[in-house]
Amino acid sequence: MKGAMPPRPFMVPGPGGPMPPPQQQFGLVETRPPLAAVLRPRFNIPGLHPSAFAAAAAASGAGKIASTYDLVEPMRFLYVHVVKARDLPAVSATGAIDPFVEVKLGNFKGTTAVKAASHNPSWQQVFAFSATHLQSHLLEVFLKAKDLAGDDLVGRVVFDLAEVPVRVPPDSPLAPQWYRLETKRGDKLPHGEIMLSVWLGTQADEAFPDAWHSDAHAAAGPAAVASTRAKVYFSPKLVYLHVAAIGAQDLIPHDTSRPMSACVKLQLAGQVRRTRPGAPPGTPNPIWNEEFMFVASEPFDEPLVVTVEDRVAPGRDEMLGRIVLPLAAAMPRHDHFGKPVEPRWYSLMRPSDDPERKEVKFASKIQIRMSLDFGYHVLDESTYYSSDLQPSSKPARKPSIGMLELGVLGARNLIPMKPKDGRTTDAYCVAKYGPKWVHTRTILDKLNPQWNEQYTWEVFDPCTVITVVVFDNGQIGSKNGGGPDQRIGKVRIRLSTLETDRVYTHFYPLLVLHPSGLKKTGELHLAVRFTCTAWVNMMALYGRPMLPKMHYTQPIPVMQLDYLRHQAMQIVAARLSRAEPPLRREVVEYMLDVDSHMFSLRRSKANFHRITSLFFGFLAMLKWYDGIRSWRNPITTMLVHMLFLILICYPELILPTIFLYMFMIGLWNYRYRPRHPSHMDTKLSHAELTHPDELDEEFDTFPSSRPPEIVRMRYDRLRSVGGRVQTVVGDLATQSERAHALLSWRDPRATAIFIFLSLVVAIVLYVTPFQVLMVIAMLYLLRHPRFRSRMPSVPFNFYRRLPAKSDMLL
């Protein structure tokens, strides 16, 4: 393998176009990277030598890259697939050999696992060397034998990078070949061959997700290398288990001298629910009639454990009977139209019964109704920014309406997360949409990582949200061993705010709240495209309910729904943490906002201001009306008078005028429509000027772990806020009670006046045309300020004098 090296077979990818100008600290920054989705046709992929790419393009058609991997910039990799070896010579007196392979390129290398006592080992392992790590024109593959005294070289194979073929998807995988091992001097060995395949490719190669990257081998131990690779995960299929404990018969208490207080304990894995004591008290045949819901996950390995207990003392229960029910005994329900679920009687096993005995002469009975409700969607995310609204039942799911494509380009200006360990940041991204989770590879020890990985999801509802988070890999470089992964920031994008078939490329600010305040931890560079394939179905979805039908025909109480959501999040986190490599629990909980239900004074203020901002439009209309009735602009007031007169004379034009006005407003606002996706708003979240004590309270544990004096101070503050809320609620109740007092005769004089005036108004309305009344009312309301008094009006004074129930409160 001899030949001259080209001048530069690889080039380091550029940063993606010119750096955008500095803008608002927490705002979006639009970019224009040279993506194939934007710059079509695109045949000159940077990083490949022109002659090498020309040959590859002529052989397989490089233009297809633009349609399959066009939201990211191509990154060059040298792939080495180590398949197996055969007929290896013995290197010890016993004739055994423990072979492994070392792939070396300059100062970067990777090693396979050691195969004990094998002359024909198999590895099936792929190594990837980034373009930035090509420090040599020779690729060396060493086959060594493990030895306690030192590794023995068995043989090697050398490749000249100038002669390595270029593979461009959708080419078929390169077929591996057998290579004869040679010594360091280049002499061929009489025995020993290794099967390899070497090629130049991009991150679009199917070998990329499972490849062991060269930088990961240099900075991490063997146990942590697996956590650096890109992976795709899927959430487990979750179903609601509906259980009704109806009653029991022939219960036998342990102590007959006292009345029995029987209750049922239901347990499914870590979910435990209890009924109230049966009625009537003390009977051996209690009735409960209580229903509970659990979250079950396929393949339904965990059984439902039903235990009947007797409450003998506070905190002390004695078991009266028990039965273990597999979930296969539950009736599956895919919609609410099916036949009702019939309850069944089950025999309870007492503590004294022999579990191996098949026949029992006498047994207590319990009546249970069980069903697996596939017609619901099991909520594991908040309904405000959920990414999946499909039911658990596959036949009831909606058809796909489009495709969501996400390109994770890179990040910039990340803060160092491991300064104490002598490292900067080992960053990776996790994106979730629907049941699909994607985990990018970990870029080691960089503050400006470049991932350039693209992922695709099917879209079933446009009113959903994709969530992307950035984490620091805690399994790498820590002196204290593997610690938890640290959060760097989160980005949410609502699909309904995106224009179809448009590529959005922006730097999103990564923001994290700490007890010390808001901190910007960097910026994430994303490319997003939402493609619609069924316009009619998508538009029809806006008139359909968001959740499946069973959520409305048989609704779940809000308190129970919150409990079920928490249990679903725990199941998803536990299942994904058992994958290999695991998607760590802290990552899943941060993605699903497991602590969103906890009290936060900051969020309470933000929600209050969101409510008050809704009244700004109404206040603006009142201000405009006040300007009209005050004759500040006489010409405008006269035009309004003319418009009112026309509408009064032709009342059939009122509704068309209103809807035409809304159409014109919407058409006018089209010029000012949002041009960028929505992102985290620090001003709306009240995160910039929050008091440190409020943030400390938000990050406090539950129950609180702060000193008693701090808890007392926060309790007093909460009482003060609650007092103001109490006053506002009382004022609203007072106004409502005054309206109710108009006809309740609580104040007989006020009610008599009101009903007499109501009779007079009714007579006047009967004999007077409606248009005349409207003209008189309009002229009275819009009269000149010269004919107005500053004193309150008679109706206002009358309403204020009506009685309320405030004086009846203690």
Side-chain angles (χ1 to χ4, degrees):
M1 296 184 181
K2 297 181 181 179
M5 271 293 288
R8 292 181 68 181
F10 279 102
M11 291 190 300
V12 179
M19 191 67 66
Q23 295 185 9
Q24 184 181 354
Q25 183 182 5
F26 301 129
L28 292 182
V29 179
E30 188 173 7
T31 61
R32 299 184 182 276
L35 304 181
V38 181
L39 306 176
R40 286 179 176 169
R42 182 184 176 90
F43 290 94
N44 55 331
I45 300 181
L48 282 182
H49 191 266
S51 61
F53 180 77
S60 53
K64 295 182 180 179
I65 290 182
S67 62
T68 57
Y69 224 73
D70 58 350
L71 290 186
V72 293
E73 299 179 53
M75 298 182 69
R76 308 296 119 211
F77 289 93
L78 172 66
Y79 290 99
V80 181
H81 185 195
V82 181
V83 184
K84 58 185 176 180
R86 68 183 179 186
D87 196 20
L88 297 182
V91 295
S92 62
T94 61
I97 181 174
D98 300 332
F100 69 95
V101 177
E102 179 182 289
V103 183
K104 185 177 181 182
L105 183 64
N107 294 329
F108 294 90
K109 64 180 181 180
T111 58
T112 66
V114 178
K115 300 295 182 179
S118 176
H119 290 270
N120 300 287
S122 177
W123 290 282
Q124 295 291 347
Q125 192 166 331
V126 180
F127 298 90
F129 294 88
S130 176
T132 57
H133 298 162
L134 298 185
Q135 302 171 339
S136 173
H137 67 284
L138 295 178
L139 171 69
E140 299 175 286
V141 180
F142 299 96
L143 198 151
K144 298 183 178 181
K146 196 69 176 178
D147 193 4
L148 296 177
D151 299 337
D152 299 326
L153 177 65
V154 178
R156 70 169 189 168
V157 178
V158 181
F159 295 89
D160 192 335
L161 295 188
E163 300 181 8
V164 172
V166 177
R167 178 176 178 268
V168 181
D171 282 357
S172 298
L174 194 66
Q177 301 180 24
W178 287 104
Y179 294 89
R180 179 68 63 86
L181 296 176
E182 60 184 30
T183 63
K184 286 187 176 181
R185 293 180 298 180
D187 300 331
K188 300 293 183 180
L189 295 178
H191 300 285
E193 291 180 307
I194 185 171
M195 179 178 282
L196 301 169
S197 59
V198 183
W199 71 93
L200 302 174
T202 67
Q203 73 272 38
D205 202 295
E206 65 270 5
F208 176 80
D210 294 324
W212 293 53
H213 292 265
S214 54
D215 55 350
H217 286 271
V225 172
S227 67
T228 64
R229 291 184 290 179
K231 286 293 179 183
V232 176
Y233 305 84
F234 280 89
S235 298
K237 183 178 179 180
L238 303 178
V239 183
Y240 284 141
L241 174 65
H242 197 158
V243 182
I246 300 175
Q249 289 185 359
D250 302 328
L251 297 179
I252 303 176
H254 295 279
D255 185 3
T256 58
S257 61
R258 58 172 182 79
M260 184 170 50
S261 178
C263 61
V264 180
K265 173 185 173 183
L266 304 169
Q267 182 173 0
L268 179 67
Q271 307 171 60
V272 180
R273 309 298 293 273
R274 295 176 183 271
T275 66
R276 294 186 295 270
T283 178
N285 305 313
I287 301 297
W288 296 287
N289 279 327
E290 294 191 38
E291 298 183 359
F292 302 95
M293 296 190 76
F294 300 85
V295 180
S297 62
E298 288 188 345
F300 305 135
D301 296 330
E302 297 288 343
L304 177 68
V305 181
V306 182
T307 308
V308 180
E309 298 177 339
D310 184 14
R311 177 64 55 88
V312 298
R316 182 187 168 195
D317 299 320
E318 290 183 353
M319 187 176 70
L320 301 178
R322 182 182 182 186
I323 184 173
V324 178
L325 298 175
L327 297 190
M331 176 181 174
R333 291 201 311 163
H334 296 273
D335 52 47
H336 62 285
F337 298 110
K339 61 180 181 179
V341 182
E342 297 295 335
R344 297 176 60 185
W345 289 96
Y346 298 93
S347 298
L348 294 173
M349 180 175 292
R350 292 179 296 180
S352 58
D353 293 340
D354 186 2
E356 297 181 358
R357 189 176 179 182
K358 296 183 179 179
E359 295 184 1
V360 180
K361 294 182 179 179
F362 179 82
S364 303
K365 301 289 185 177
I366 185 171
Q367 192 177 25
I368 298 291
R369 184 172 63 242
M370 294 174 53
S371 64
L372 285 170
D373 294 339
F374 289 87
Y376 289 102
H377 167 68
V378 180
L379 294 169
D380 58 351
E381 304 169 287
S382 173
T383 53
Y384 300 115
Y385 35 84
S386 179
S387 63
D388 184 19
L389 303 171
Q390 296 283 79
S392 302
S393 175
K394 287 186 177 180
R397 294 180 181 176
K398 308 170 186 173
S400 171
I401 63 165
M403 197 72 65
L404 172 65
E405 297 167 278
L406 174 70
V408 184
L409 300 177
R412 68 179 183 183
N413 302 329
L414 299 181
I415 63 173
M417 305 298 291
K418 300 188 181 83
K420 296 182 180 179
D421 299 324
R423 301 179 62 83
T424 55
T425 299
D426 305 310
Y428 68 89
C429 292
V430 177
K432 180 189 183 300
Y433 184 77
K436 181 180 177 181
W437 306 61
V438 298
H439 183 299
T440 69
R441 73 188 190 281
T442 301
I443 305 297
L444 303 184
D445 205 16
K446 290 185 181 297
L447 298 180
N448 298 286
Q450 298 292 321
W451 289 286
N452 283 303
E453 299 181 25
Q454 182 172 338
Y455 300 95
T456 304
W457 290 267
E458 276 191 298
V459 177
F460 298 91
D461 196 311
C463 302
T464 46
V465 177
I466 181 174
T467 304
V468 186
V469 299
V470 184
F471 269 83
D472 175 72
N473 196 328
Q475 312 306 304
I476 299 173
S478 178
K479 296 180 180 178
N480 301 324
D485 293 355
Q486 302 182 63
R487 60 185 68 173
I488 299 178
K490 179 188 296 184
V491 174
R492 291 196 195 100
I493 303 175
R494 182 171 292 275
L495 269 62
S496 59
T497 62
L498 304 179
E499 298 178 11
T500 55
D501 299 321
R502 175 185 170 186
V503 178
Y504 293 84
T505 54
H506 293 83
F507 273 107
Y508 293 82
L510 298 174
L511 308 173
V512 176
L513 266 178
H514 292 280
S516 58
L518 179 67
K519 182 182 294 185
K520 183 177 180 181
T521 55
E523 293 176 294
L524 180 62
H525 198 189
L526 299 177
V528 184
R529 177 172 60 198
F530 171 44
T531 305
C532 180
T533 57
W535 272 94
V536 176
N537 292 341
M538 184 181 69
M539 303 305 290
L541 283 175
Y542 280 89
R544 297 177 183 173
M546 294 187 63
L547 294 173
K549 295 179 180 179
M550 287 192 70
H551 284 269
Y552 305 97
T553 57
Q554 300 177 12
I556 304 174
V558 176
M559 295 297 295
Q560 191 173 11
L561 203 59
D562 291 339
Y563 171 81
L564 294 173
R565 175 175 173 256
H566 178 74
Q567 296 298 328
M569 287 190 294
Q570 297 299 323
I571 293 175
V572 172
R575 184 69 65 88
L576 295 180
S577 64
R578 293 199 301 266
E580 188 60 39
L583 189 60
R584 299 178 63 83
R585 176 178 287 271
E586 59 268 20
V587 178
V588 178
E589 291 181 349
Y590 183 55
M591 292 279 288
L592 299 179
D593 284 325
V594 70
D595 56 349
S596 61
H597 65 286
M598 300 299 292
F599 172 77
S600 168
L601 190 59
R602 174 190 60 84
R603 281 198 290 259
S604 301
K605 290 181 178 178
N607 291 332
F608 175 78
H609 283 275
R610 287 171 59 195
I611 293 176
T612 56
S613 64
L614 298 178
F615 296 98
F616 287 164
F618 180 71
L619 295 177
M621 292 181 61
L622 291 180
K623 186 177 179 181
W624 172 82
Y625 171 72
D626 185 68
I628 295 297
R629 67 193 294 267
S630 301
W631 291 73
R632 294 175 185 171
N633 190 335
I635 298 178
T636 304
T637 303
M638 293 300 297
L639 291 176
V640 171
H641 277 74
M642 295 175 59
L643 177 63
F644 280 178
L645 289 174
I646 294 174
L647 293 178
I648 291 172
C649 295
Y650 303 96
E652 63 274 8
L653 297 179
I654 295 178
L655 289 179
T657 303
I658 293 175
F659 285 102
L660 181 62
Y661 179 67
M662 289 191 291
F663 170 78
M664 296 302 296
I665 291 178
L667 204 60
W668 176 263
N669 290 340
Y670 180 78
R671 301 172 53 195
Y672 310 101
R673 67 189 185 279
R675 303 300 177 94
H676 309 294
S678 57
H679 64 288
M680 302 293 183
D681 193 331
T682 56
K683 185 177 180 181
L684 180 66
S685 305
H686 279 249
E688 297 185 39
L689 303 176
T690 306
H691 195 275
D693 183 68
E694 296 178 4
L695 290 176
D696 184 72
E697 179 184 18
E698 182 173 343
F699 286 94
D700 192 9
T701 58
F702 186 84
S704 177
S705 59
R706 298 297 184 264
E709 57 272 11
I710 295 181
V711 176
R712 186 180 301 111
M713 181 269 294
R714 291 173 179 171
Y715 174 67
D716 292 339
R717 181 178 61 194
L718 187 61
R719 290 178 62 191
S720 175
V721 174
R724 292 195 290 269
V725 174
Q726 171 185 294
T727 302
V728 173
V729 173
D731 289 341
L732 293 176
T734 298
Q735 304 306 323
S736 301
E737 290 167 354
R738 285 173 176 168
H740 184 264
L742 286 171
L743 298 173
S744 65
W745 291 92
R746 189 172 173 214
D747 184 343
R749 287 166 293 277
T751 303
I753 294 173
F754 179 74
I755 63 174
F756 178 74
L757 291 178
S758 299
L759 178 61
V760 173
V761 171
I763 295 174
V764 172
L765 291 177
Y766 273 121
V767 300
T768 308
F770 178 75
Q771 287 86 348
V772 175
L773 293 175
M774 292 299 298
V775 169
I776 295 174
M778 181 201 69
L779 294 177
Y780 177 78
L781 293 176
L782 299 181
R783 66 190 184 277
H784 197 274
R786 183 181 304 175
F787 304 105
R788 291 205 184 106
S789 173
R790 295 182 179 272
M791 301 302 293
S793 62
V794 173
F796 181 79
N797 295 333
F798 179 78
Y799 189 80
R800 285 293 302 272
R801 291 178 177 275
L802 292 172
K805 296 181 180 180
S806 304
D807 52 348
M808 300 171 61
L809 296 176
L810 291 176

